[in-house]
């Protein structure tokens, strides 16, 4: 087991390096960049200044040369400012060295450190992801067990219809519908539509703060979680149905055990193996899988919106740093999932992998 874990940890190094290298290479061929974006902004600023000049003002335009654009020396200063005066290989390995020391640099667009930006946006994504994760597991597993016990009954049929209908509706469409119905769109104004908390949140009591936060979360969490029920519920049902049909269940029933004893003492542990082993990945992903559309619809400034704006604004430090962090986290989660398999099911071993 220790050898297997060490091997997987060592394999993470070339995997992570390869992901970063491919992404860095692609970025080199993407049209536009932070330098071009800054040049465009400066030229637009000078054009605006030029409009003011004609009306009587007399600002200094510096190295701007009208239709010829910025002076090449000023453009070169921008390239040095962003580090693009160095060869690509030197920039790449310098970036990797900094990342190994968890130095993710500063955002070109926000002019703040990447770590500060991520920490600022994380509460929104954690709120969306954690509540979605908890509600999905707490509702889908009991529902899946109930559907397996009452397989092909009327309850099984109509619950399958409901959860599959919810699965077929995109989260952002449901979000818009919820706004129209309950967010003051056209019918009832029952829920707030912006941020995690109200403006006067600091003045509320402890219980008031909790209730205010939960009240803000109702609509976005509902839009996020509805589509997650179908997969987990049907996986739970099918896993229980498979175990119920096995010989050891028939033997337990033949010995006179009650249906609840058979279901929860014998079937439950084996049927839950596929769900429990996926728990680490689902739990970690829940914190960082905030939906861009959900955040946009409900005015929640989270990691999804940060990533989108970083790509649009060619904010490469944020793009590369978040990619590095999430890739590393994903690789560790895969390893944790494999270890969970061994802990949950003693029949699985990695001894042969030595």
């Amino acid at each position: 087991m220790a050898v297997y874990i060490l091997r997987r940890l060592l394999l993470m190094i070339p995997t992570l390096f390869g992901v970063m290298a491919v992404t860095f290479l692609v970025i080199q061929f993407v049209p536009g960049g932070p330098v071009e974006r800054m040049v465009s902004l400066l030229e637009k600023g000078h054009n605006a200044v030029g409009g003011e000049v004609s009306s009587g003002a007399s600002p200094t335009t510096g190295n701007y040369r009208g239709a010829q654009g910025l002076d090449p020396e000023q453009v070169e200063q921008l390239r040095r400012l962003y580090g693009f005066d160095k060869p690509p290989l030197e920039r790449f390995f310098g970036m990797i060295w900094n990342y190994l020391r968890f130095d993710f640099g500063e955002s070109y667009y926000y002019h703040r450190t990447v770590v500060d930006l991520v920490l600022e946006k994380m509460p929104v994504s954690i709120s969306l992801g954690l509540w979605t994760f908890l509600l999905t597991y707490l509702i889908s597993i009991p529902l899946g067990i109930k559907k397996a016990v009452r397989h092909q009954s009327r309850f099984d049929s109509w619950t399958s219809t409901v959860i599959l209908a919810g699965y077929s509706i995109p989260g952002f469409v449901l979000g818009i519908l919820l706004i129209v119905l309950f967010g003051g769109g056209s019918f009832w104004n029952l829920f707030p539509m912006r941020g995690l908390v109200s403006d006067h949140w600091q003045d509320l009591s402890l219980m008031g703060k909790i209730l205010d936060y939960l009240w803000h979360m109702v609509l976005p969490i509902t839009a996020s979680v509805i589509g997650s029920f179908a997969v987990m519920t049907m996986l739970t049902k099918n896993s229980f149905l498979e175990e119920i049909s096995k010989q050891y269940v028939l033997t337990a029933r033949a010995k006179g055990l009650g249906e609840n004893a058979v279901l929860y003492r014998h079937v439950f542990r084996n049927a839950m193996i596929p769900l429990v082993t996926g728990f680490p990945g689902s739990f970690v992903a829940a914190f960082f899988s905030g939906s861009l559309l959900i955040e946009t619809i409900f005015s929640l400034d989270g990691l999804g919106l940060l990533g989108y704006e970083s790509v649009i604004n060619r904010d490469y430090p944020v793009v590369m740093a978040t990619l590095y962090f999430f890739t590393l986290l994903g690789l560790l989660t895969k390893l944790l999932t494999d270890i969970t398999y061994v802990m949950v099911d003693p029949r699985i071993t990695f001894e042969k992998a030595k």
Side-chain angles (χ1 to χ4, degrees), residues 64-288:
Y64 184 65
R65 302 179 300 165
Q68 298 182 20
L70 293 179
D71 187 277
E73 182 179 349
Q74 190 170 3
V75 175
E76 186 61 29
Q77 290 177 356
L78 289 174
R79 290 178 58 84
R80 287 195 297 269
L81 175 65
Y82 291 119
F84 287 94
D85 58 321
K86 301 175 183 177
L89 280 178
E90 182 179 346
R91 287 190 284 118
F92 175 73
F93 285 107
M95 178 190 70
I96 293 296
W97 172 245
N98 289 333
Y99 285 4
L100 291 175
R101 297 178 294 147
F102 292 96
D103 178 9
F104 298 111
E106 184 175 294
S107 166
Y108 294 156
Y109 182 72
Y110 295 96
H111 304 291
R112 297 173 54 192
T113 64
V114 175
V115 173
D116 289 342
L117 277 174
V118 171
L119 291 178
E120 179 184 319
K121 313 294 184 181
M122 194 173 289
V124 171
S125 297
I126 289 178
S127 295
L128 287 174
L130 184 58
W131 283 113
T132 300
F133 170 82
L134 290 176
L135 291 175
T136 299
Y137 268 79
L138 291 176
I139 295 175
S140 296
I141 292 178
L143 180 59
I145 296 174
K146 189 72 172 179
K147 287 172 63 64
V149 172
R150 302 180 61 178
H151 180 52
Q152 294 183 341
S153 67
R154 184 174 298 178
F155 172 82
D156 184 32
S157 299
W158 73 260
T159 52
S160 295
T161 302
V162 171
I163 63 174
L164 290 176
Y167 181 73
S168 65
I169 302 175
F172 69 92
V173 174
L174 180 59
I176 295 174
L177 178 62
L178 292 174
I179 291 175
V180 172
L181 291 177
F182 305 111
S186 300
F187 294 90
W188 302 283
N189 187 12
L190 301 179
F191 297 95
M193 294 305 307
R194 179 178 297 275
L196 290 179
V197 294
S198 301
D199 294 335
H200 62 285
W201 186 78
Q202 294 290 347
D203 300 328
L204 299 175
S205 63
L206 177 59
M207 182 57 64
K209 291 180 178 179
I210 295 174
L211 292 177
D212 182 74
Y213 164 75
L214 294 176
W215 201 241
H216 279 75
M217 285 286 97
V218 170
L219 294 187
I221 293 303
T222 301
S224 299
V225 78
I226 292 297
S228 305
F229 287 146
V231 174
M232 185 61 63
T233 301
M234 300 309 295
L235 178 61
T236 303
K237 175 190 173 182
N238 294 334
S239 181
F240 270 79
L241 283 178
E242 182 181 356
E243 291 298 323
I244 289 173
S245 63
K246 291 184 177 179
Q247 184 63 42
Y248 75 88
V249 176
L250 299 177
T251 302
R253 286 172 176 167
K255 291 180 178 180
L257 290 179
E259 195 63 29
N260 286 336
V262 172
L263 184 64
Y264 293 103
R265 193 181 303 170
H266 296 278
V267 175
F268 187 82
R269 179 179 178 182
N270 293 327
M272 289 298 292
I273 288 176
L275 304 177
V276 173
T277 52
F279 185 90
S282 301
F283 184 75
V284 174
F287 286 88
F288 306 103

